[in-house]
Every structure is written in C-alpha cells, then in structure tokens.
Amino acid sequence: MRKLALSDEILLTVEKPARYIGNEVNAVTKNPLDVDIRFCMCFPDVYEIGMSHLGIQILYDMFNRRDDVYCERVYSPWMDLHRILKEKEIPLFALESQDEVRKFDFLGITIQYEMCYTNILQILDLSQIPILAKERELNHPFVIGGGPCVYNPEPLADFFDLFYIGEGETSYDALFDLYKDWKASGKSRREFLCGAAKIPGIYVPSLYRVTYRGDGVIADFTPDEAGIPKKVEKQVVTHMTGAPYPQKPLVPFIQATQDRVVLEIQRGCIRGCRFCQAGMIYRPTREKDIEELKRQAYAILKNTGQDEISLSSLSSSDYSHLKELVTYLIEEFKGQGVNISLPSLRIDAFSLDVMGKVQDIKKSSLTFAPEAGSQRLRDVINKGLTEEVILEGAGAAFAGGWNKVKLYFMLGLPTETQEDQEAIAKLANQIAVCYYEIPKEQRSGKCQITISTSFFVPKPFTPFQWAVMYPKEHYLNCAKTVNEAVRAQLNKKSIRYNWHEADVTVLEGVFARGDRRLGKAILRAYEKGSIFNAWSDFFDNEVWMEAFAETGIDPDFYTLRERTWDEIFPWDFIDAGVTKEFLRREYENALAGTVTENCRARCSGCGAAKYQGGVCVENKDSV
C-alpha cells in the first residue's frame, strides 16, 4: 500500500485534504526502483488551479511514456498546510508516491504568472531544497523552469539551475539522456549544467555573466564558459498533429478551476496584436489535423467521463476546420449531454451556424475582447476589429438567443487618451442598444453586459516592450474615468464594470521587465511572509515596497522608464523567433496608428518563417 506523508490527524485539520492525497483518475503509478530518473512536476499555486493547466498534463503524459522516467506532481500547499509543514519540519512531498520532493532528480516548475514568484520559493523552502541554486549540492534535485514567464527568466536566475525556453515536447528527451550519462559518470553538478547548456532551448543562468552601466542598464550579457551559446533558441513543435498529447488526462477528485476536457486545436496566432506576448512567442501558427482531433476528443471523453470539452487555442475562430469540428462534436456526443466550450473567439469570425449549435447544448455568456474602446486605439494595438464588426457580431449573438456579454479591455495602453477610456463605456452602451432593438417578445430576458478592464503591462518580445508604464495612481484614474462614463450611459443599468488592482499591475511590470538583480527582493519578500500574491486576499503591496527598500531596488527603474532603441534587454539573449527589428517596426507602426495585416493575409516578416511548419511559411515569399 502506498504510504502517506501526512497523518490522518493532520489531513483532517486542513481545508480540502484531497489536494494532497493524489491517486486521481488516470494518475500514473510506477515503482521508483524501476526507473533511472524521477521528475517532480510543480505548478506553484493551489491544486485546483494547477490541475487546470494543460502544459503539465502534456508533459506528465509524455515523460511517463518513457520506461526510465517516473514523473509525479506537486502543488503549492495552501496556507494551513504551509504552516504545519514549517512548524513540524515535514518535507514537502509528491502526490503519486508521497516521497519527499528533495529526493527527486529534477524539480520542474511551470511559471505562468509573475505573481507566483514567491510561491516558487515556498516550494523550494518547504521541500528543504536550498533556495539559492549556488548552494545546492550533488544530492539536490536540478530545478528547471518553463512556461511563458521564462521568456524573461532573469528575476528568477538565482533560484533555478536551468530554464527550458519554448515548447517542452522537443528537447527533454535529450536532457534526460544526458542526465543518465552524467549520473553514471560521477562528474560534478557544474559539469552536468555545462552539458545541458549545449542542448537547444536550455538556459543555465549560472553560466552567463551580466555587467551593468553606471545608469543601471545592462552593459553586456555573455557566456562564462567555452562552447555555451550566446543566444538560446526557443524550441518549437513544428508539426502539431504528431506531437504527444494525453489520451488519459488526470481527473481531479475536487473541482478544478477549469473542470473540463481540453482539446488543443492549434498553437500560435495569426493576428499580431501588439500587446500580446503569447501571440508573438508562440509563432508560427500550427494547426492540428481535423481527423486527429476527432480521435483525440473521443478518446479523452471516454477516458475521463467529463461532460464538457473546451477547444483550446489563442484564437479558436482562426482554426481552419472549426465549423466541421464543432459539428462533429455536437453530433457525436449530443446524446451524452457533453457541452462544447469555445473560448478565444473573435467577434468578427463568429459563425452563426456554429453558435446556434453550441447554444442547443448549453447557453452561457459570450466573451469578447475588443481590448480598446475607440477605433484609433484598436488600430494602435493592431486588434483588427472595427466598431461596425463588433456591433454586427453582438447583434447576431443576441439574435441567436444570448443576453449576457462579457467585454474585456485594457487601460494604460500606449498613446491612450481620456477619450479612448470613455469610448469603452460608449461601446458597451451601443452593444446594449443592439439588444434592445430586438423585439421584446424575442428577447431572452434582461441584457447583461459586464465590462472588465485590466491594466496594460508591456511584456518582453512584444512591440510594446519599449513602452513606459505608469504609476498606480494613473491606472486608478483611468478606471475612475471609465466608471464615470458608464454611469453617464443611457443603458447603465445593463452595464456592470470591474477593474484590476493597480498595485498588482505595477509589480507584474517590474518582474516582467526586470533583471537578475531583482532576485534578492523576491527572496526578501518571501522571508517577510509574501506568498499567494495572485490571490487578492493575500497580496500585500507594503511588504513588497519594504522588500525593495531593504534590498536597494528602485521598482520605478523597471516601469516608469521608456527604453531606448539600442538598450540591451534582460531577455535579449533569447531567440524567440520574432526579431527585434520586426518588433521595433511594429512599435513604430503602432505610434503611427498603422494596421498590420494578419499572417494569412500577408507575411509581415517577423522572423518565424525559419521554423518549418505553420501558416507563415505559406506566405514567406510575400515579404
């Protein structure tokens, strides 16, 4: 019988003990003595959120297909168990075997959001693994990070042995084979890291030297060892159809944040929104074959018993066979009560036929993301939506039977004016007018429009990476302007407005754009008790301000400063596929209000055509 790391007495004292017992449907069980490599996969947030993450599901399945690897999981313990583990000095454990994380060969941490950075230190601390990579010895796991935040890993450089840049399906086998050879050789920890740094996509921060100018800007970033690449190239799955994908995904015992089957239909995005990091770093767009998706959908639903399937991509409307796929899913599973979820739809490409079929299964609110209220600002960010298209799409949705719409916008965008902010409320009002133009007897109850605004953060590898951010007071004033404009609208009773926290946005910007000097502030904040910063109940901005002051860090240096064209960014050592020249050209287009066509209409010469497979290859001769 599998041992438990916690006694029944302890489990009965914590909220949701099912977070920690493992043994879920489709969990993998192996004998640790029969494998060469033990890999503990970590999501640095609570179980319910981590279990919703597709990337971990893919790598968990992929790693465990190897006979010589046993991949298990760990998530951030909630506050109650955190205190118990600290007080009783119980090492953090993996779910499958309940073995101590510190005894594994690798601890792999997916880094999805900057506000989880101190939770990474929580995992290391509770695992009783030295928090600083330089203090780890031969018996400690190699700590490796992946995910979108590693496109600027520098704020976390002190804590990780390695980072994996790009999509995990490509280089992990080479890393595992290298590890097996190294483990049998008796060589030093550093010798393994030197070998790993030569594998495509692997970045070892301890093997690079950073120097700074007198004004704090990076002067130089160079390898510290012979044979180590100056540029680390992101890894890309060029052909999605044959890529590993779990046919038996894990099914949690308790309800996860996204409690449904996920079917990934494509990666990348053709649109080129200038604020969107994912749209840049996941280029080129690569679709899965429709027949393979049908097979996967059938197998996954059969192996999980779930009653909802979500089609995952950055822009589902742009999948070439969306209508055919949705029609198949509806017809194949209509007798089983399976709901089809279609996130990431563009209002201009929303098929009335597809919408009507999905409605037959389950009515819910529709979500659209105009991102900016005025046409001028939508052109600046290259959203590619006109007001006419938005209103026509909303009207068609209302005619199809919907009465609830969620609208997502950003505030604090480059060149934004008060008129742009007020235009958010005016657009919401116009959408409400579309609803009330429908004859009363044909409406589906009262119209409900929810506006949500987040505050803009200029992320690495976007055209706006040169842009300045604003103080939190500016963001709050932006939200106040929108709120007052909503109250002035004729249909204000149909409109609800929510906005993001400004303190969190500023801190997110610091870490998104920061360098490795920030590591000491992150460590100090954790020592002062800062964890679960992504949760508003636990976020304390004062703790962070104290941590910055105590470590001599000026957060304004990373936010309130516009970058020059020739500045060396902390992330410039990464080749993310899109060139810096392209990003600069797009920033200049933004300032001029010039729209760039999508990748299917015309190639913009971003640089991603070097990856074989993807829509940009079809147009590479049109640059």
Side-chain angles (χ1 to χ4, degrees):
M1 182 179 290
R2 189 190 61 154
K3 64 180 182 294
L4 277 176
L6 297 179
S7 66
D8 291 342
E9 290 79 8
I10 291 177
L11 283 173
L12 289 172
T13 65
V14 301
E15 181 184 351
K16 298 182 181 178
R19 290 167 168 162
Y20 312 110
I21 61 176
N23 207 32
E24 304 99 328
V25 173
N26 295 328
V28 175
T29 301
K30 293 185 180 183
N31 185 346
L33 299 178
D34 293 338
V35 300
D36 299 311
I37 299 173
R38 300 192 66 185
F39 193 107
C40 191
M41 187 74 72
C42 170
F43 193 100
D45 207 326
V46 72
Y47 174 89
E48 295 93 309
I49 294 178
M51 280 293 286
S52 302
H53 184 241
L54 177 60
I56 283 186
Q57 293 266 17
I58 291 174
L59 293 182
Y60 180 83
D61 176 76
M62 173 184 155
F63 292 176
N64 279 318
R65 290 185 190 182
R66 287 184 57 140
D67 293 334
D68 56 352
V69 175
Y70 187 13
C71 181
E72 304 183 42
R73 292 164 296 130
V74 68
Y75 305 94
S76 283
W78 194 237
M79 300 296 285
D80 48 6
L81 183 59
H82 174 99
R83 286 190 291 268
I84 293 171
L85 296 180
K86 288 289 286 184
E87 291 170 2
K88 297 184 178 294
E89 298 184 351
I90 301 172
L92 187 60
F93 52 91
L95 267 63
E96 279 76 4
S97 66
Q98 302 284 303
D99 283 342
E100 298 171 6
V101 172
R102 65 183 179 180
K103 294 182 178 178
F104 281 67
D105 299 293
F106 288 92
L107 171 60
I109 304 176
T110 183
I111 314 170
Q112 298 292 313
Y113 181 37
E114 291 84 359
M115 302 314 295
C116 289
Y117 282 4
T118 52
N119 274 54
I120 293 169
L121 306 196
Q122 177 209 29
I123 294 290
L124 295 171
D125 184 25
L126 295 181
S127 299
Q128 299 178 14
I129 298 169
I131 290 178
L132 296 175
K134 65 182 181 183
E135 296 178 357
R136 293 178 200 139
E137 298 178 353
L138 205 58
N139 62 315
H140 292 122
F142 287 100
V143 181
I144 181 168
C149 286
V150 305
Y151 282 87
N152 179 21
E154 288 302 276
L156 296 171
D158 291 343
F159 315 119
F160 281 82
D161 298 296
L162 316 94
F163 290 99
Y164 186 111
I165 313 295
E167 297 169 356
E169 296 94 331
T170 61
S171 288
Y172 264 112
D173 284 336
L175 184 66
F176 290 157
D177 291 343
L178 174 71
Y179 179 81
K180 287 170 62 176
D181 291 341
W182 169 81
K183 195 173 182 179
S185 71
K187 293 181 179 179
S188 69
R189 190 177 179 92
R190 184 177 178 86
E191 286 175 298
F192 170 74
L193 294 174
C194 287
K198 298 173 185 177
I199 295 174
I202 302 296
Y203 168 54
V204 180
S206 62
L207 301 181
Y208 291 77
R209 182 178 66 256
V210 188
T211 57
Y212 301 91
R213 300 186 329 208
D215 60 0
V217 172
I218 293 175
D220 199 18
F221 190 104
T222 55
D224 217 11
E225 287 277 344
I228 304 301
K230 188 173 178 62
K231 281 269 189 179
V232 179
E233 186 172 355
K234 78 166 182 181
Q235 296 303 289
V236 172
V237 177
T238 52
H239 300 288
M240 290 295 298
T241 299
Y245 200 78
Q247 307 298 293
K248 295 182 177 182
L250 292 152
V251 182
F253 282 135
I254 57 178
Q255 187 170 14
T257 306
Q258 304 292 333
D259 196 14
R260 59 181 71 109
V261 164
V262 178
L263 188 67
E264 186 182 30
I265 60 177
Q266 64 181 10
R267 283 188 194 167
C269 182
I270 65 172
R271 294 294 164 178
C273 297
R274 293 173 179 135
F275 60 85
C276 181
Q277 185 186 52
M280 296 296 167
I281 63 177
Y282 293 125
R283 291 187 174 205
T285 302
R286 293 143 289 152
E287 295 188 344
K288 274 189 184 178
D289 176 72
I290 179 71
E291 296 304 319
E292 176 63 18
L293 287 172
K294 292 177 182 178
R295 287 190 291 270
Q296 288 182 358
Y298 182 86
I300 294 170
L301 286 168
K302 177 182 177 182
N303 292 328
T304 61
Q306 294 276 26
D307 61 0
E308 184 170 352
I309 186 166
S310 175
L311 306 186
S312 172
S313 79
L314 292 176
S315 182
S316 299
S317 302
D318 292 321
Y319 178 64
S320 300
H321 307 285
L322 179 65
K323 183 176 179 180
E324 179 185 351
L325 178 60
V326 171
T327 300
Y328 167 81
L329 294 174
I330 294 291
E331 293 178 351
E332 185 72 18
F333 302 107
K334 62 183 177 183
Q336 302 174 34
V338 175
N339 180 46
I340 314 300
S341 174
L342 293 168
S344 306
L345 287 168
R346 286 178 61 85
I347 197 168
D348 62 337
F350 202 81
S351 164
L352 281 174
D353 183 48
V354 171
M355 181 171 63
K357 289 183 177 181
V358 173
Q359 176 186 320
D360 290 340
I361 299 295
K362 180 184 176 184
K363 285 187 179 181
S364 60
S365 61
L366 294 174
T367 300
F368 300 125
E371 307 295 0
S374 70
Q375 189 60 50
R376 185 199 71 81
L377 195 53
R378 283 194 294 275
D379 289 346
V380 167
I381 65 176
N382 207 48
K383 185 62 183 176
L385 281 178
T386 64
E387 183 175 294
E388 180 184 9
V389 167
I390 293 171
L391 296 179
E392 285 180 357
F398 291 143
W402 273 268
N403 67 337
K404 299 177 184 178
V405 174
K406 295 179 182 178
L407 301 171
Y408 287 97
F409 298 90
M410 284 184 291
L411 293 172
L413 287 161
T415 80
E416 182 180 271
T417 66
Q418 181 175 332
E419 288 73 21
D420 296 318
Q421 296 158 12
E422 293 170 342
I424 292 174
K426 294 176 181 177
L427 181 61
N429 185 71
Q430 288 176 281
I431 291 173
V433 169
C434 289
Y435 182 78
Y436 290 114
E437 286 177 346
I438 298 173
K440 190 172 183 179
E441 63 274 11
Q442 297 177 22
R443 299 177 200 160
S444 302
K446 182 182 177 182
C447 176
Q448 299 177 40
I449 298 174
T450 302
I451 300 172
S452 294
T453 59
S454 60
F455 299 121
F456 168 68
V457 175
K459 292 292 181 87
F461 296 107
T462 67
F464 291 147
Q465 64 183 356
W466 285 275
V468 68
M469 289 186 67
Y470 300 99
K472 66 177 182 180
E473 293 79 14
H474 174 88
Y475 293 123
L476 293 175
N477 285 334
C478 292
K480 182 180 178 181
T481 297
V482 176
N483 196 39
E484 291 174 350
V486 167
R487 292 180 179 180
Q489 299 306 308
L490 197 62
N491 292 291
K492 61 184 178 182
K493 290 184 178 180
S494 296
I495 305 171
R496 180 183 301 169
Y497 176 44
N498 306 309
W499 62 90
H500 197 52
E501 297 173 80
D503 288 341
V504 173
T505 296
V506 172
L507 196 59
E508 182 183 342
V510 170
F511 293 124
R513 296 149 69 89
D515 51 52
R516 60 175 63 183
R517 291 173 295 189
L518 288 172
K520 55 188 177 182
I522 297 172
L523 178 56
R524 186 71 190 109
Y526 175 70
E527 292 170 343
K528 295 169 75 69
S530 181
I531 54 175
F532 287 106
N533 286 281
W535 296 70
S536 57
D537 291 349
F538 298 107
F539 176 73
D540 187 340
N541 194 59
E542 286 304 311
V543 170
W544 280 102
M545 294 304 105
E546 291 170 6
F548 288 135
E550 292 169 14
T551 54
I553 296 293
D554 177 12
D556 291 351
F557 174 79
Y558 300 101
T559 55
L560 305 183
R561 181 176 62 84
E562 191 163 8
R563 275 61 173 167
T564 60
W565 292 126
D566 61 348
E567 179 169 332
I568 298 175
F569 293 135
W571 52 89
D572 273 350
F573 70 92
I574 296 173
D575 178 355
V578 291
T579 65
K580 203 169 184 179
E581 293 74 20
F582 163 75
L583 296 175
R584 174 175 173 172
R585 189 165 68 244
E586 278 297 281
Y587 189 32
E588 291 173 333
N589 285 339
L591 297 179
T594 303
V595 173
T596 299
E597 292 182 283
N598 72 68
C599 298
R600 283 204 176 103
R602 183 178 182 275
C603 180
S604 57
C606 72
K610 67 181 179 181
Y611 301 109
Q612 295 305 304
V615 300
C616 68
V617 175
E618 299 168 9
N619 296 292
K620 65 182 179 181
D621 295 329
S622 64
V623 180

